[in-house]
Amino acid sequence: MANKKLIVGLTGGIGSGKSEVCRRFIAKGITVVDADIVAREVVEPGTPALELISGHFGENILLTTENQRRELNRARLREIIFSNPSEKDWLERTLHPIINQRIREQLKNAAGPYVILASPLLLETRQYLLVDRILVIDASEQLQIERASQRDFSNEAQIKAIMQTQLSRQERCARANDIIQNHGSLIELDEQVGSLHKLYMELAQNN
Ligand code: ADP
């Protein structure tokens, strides 16, 4: 008799293939809670978190949209925290509990035998504490750079700068329960997702 829903945390570096893998689990009817989407939702216009941010950094952290909504100026915020570790700390201390609360709610409300929390920073933040099992999507750094730069039309230096803020492949894989090797074709990716889906269905039965 299943009593507690199995929660799988899915993570990987930029360009490793997280979105491709998530799409495949979604196609199997599995709910994926996306930490990036939640992080954007909690600072939408009119939210308490956005109030806290404008209270702290001042009104010029907001910009006015075409439809006269005051929304977060992400570029400006990124600039401030990039050069100021104590402001970065403040922002993380303020936002992470709000984001994690919302993630917890979405995980709780998800239907289905198991649910996935997809987060690029699962292991870098306390989000790993929310999951029962860790799935890492792994690709070589060269492939990460090639795929991410093609997708985002960004250059190698920008992708490398983002990779610097993330765990190394070795550190990430060392903490995984399951690893998807995304060094081959998308068909090979399908097969690995298929096997893991089978495993998670079995684990969910006994959870
Ligand atoms: P992430 O979400 O981890 O940043 P994506 O899933 O968006 O990575 O993958 C990065 C890019 O590489 C996307 O354009 C995606 O379609 C492509 N991609 C991912 N895996 C493969 C693969 N096995 N073969 C070919 N292209 C891939």
Side-chain angles (χ1 to χ4, degrees):
M1 169 71 187
N3 43 21
K4 187 179 157 283
K5 192 162 38 205
L6 177 73
I7 303 175
V8 177
L10 182 157
T11 192
I14 180 169
S16 60
K18 294 182 295 299
S19 306
E20 287 289 352
V21 172
C22 286
R23 270 200 284 282
R24 284 162 174 75
F25 279 108
I26 291 168
K28 294 183 184 301
I30 299 305
T31 300
V32 174
V33 175
D34 184 328
D36 274 349
I37 294 178
V38 173
R40 283 198 293 273
E41 282 172 359
V42 300
V43 293
E44 272 174 4
T47 55
L50 189 58
E51 286 281 309
L52 290 171
I53 292 173
S54 61
H56 182 83
F57 292 101
E59 287 288 309
N60 63 0
I61 202 70
L62 302 177
L63 43 80
T64 306
T65 61
E66 278 170 18
N67 53 4
Q68 300 304 310
R69 301 214 313 166
R70 303 276 284 155
E71 70 173 31
L72 184 60
N73 186 341
R74 289 171 188 286
R76 172 102 192 87
L77 185 61
R78 259 198 307 274
E79 214 173 78
I80 294 173
I81 64 171
F82 183 73
S83 54
N84 197 328
S86 69
E87 295 295 22
K88 183 168 185 271
D89 277 354
W90 179 88
L91 190 69
E92 288 177 352
R93 271 202 319 276
T94 305
L95 287 186
H96 284 178
I98 299 174
I99 293 168
N100 286 2
Q101 179 54 33
R102 177 77 74 97
I103 288 175
R104 254 189 236 107
E105 282 163 23
Q106 293 193 4
L107 290 172
K108 188 162 157 267
N109 294 336
Y114 69 92
V115 55
I116 292 178
L117 168 60
S119 173
L121 298 177
L122 185 80
L123 303 174
E124 287 85 344
T125 64
R126 294 168 63 82
Q127 283 167 2
Y128 69 91
L129 296 170
L130 302 174
V131 306
D132 302 309
R133 205 171 170 87
I134 293 168
L135 165 59
V136 166
I137 319 303
D138 187 48
S140 70
E141 279 156 19
Q142 190 51 42
L143 272 177
Q144 280 182 262
I145 293 167
E146 276 171 27
R147 289 174 179 164
S149 50
Q150 266 177 22
R151 180 196 57 193
D152 303 340
F153 308 107
S154 50
N155 63 38
E156 188 167 329
Q158 285 168 314
I159 308 288
K160 280 187 171 161
I162 293 172
M163 286 166 70
Q164 284 298 317
T165 68
Q166 304 180 330
L167 284 183
S168 71
R169 280 178 72 199
Q170 286 84 344
E171 287 170 302
R172 203 182 283 114
C173 288
R175 292 174 65 182
N177 299 101
D178 310 303
I179 298 179
I180 286 185
Q181 294 288 349
N182 189 14
H183 294 98
S185 66
L186 290 171
I187 293 169
E188 286 166 77
L189 204 59
D190 286 340
E191 287 164 1
Q192 295 180 73
V193 171
S195 317
L196 281 174
H197 177 60
K198 216 171 136 230
L199 170 69
Y200 296 152
M201 292 295 270
E202 280 165 20
L203 291 174
Q205 282 273 317
N206 303 317
N207 203 45

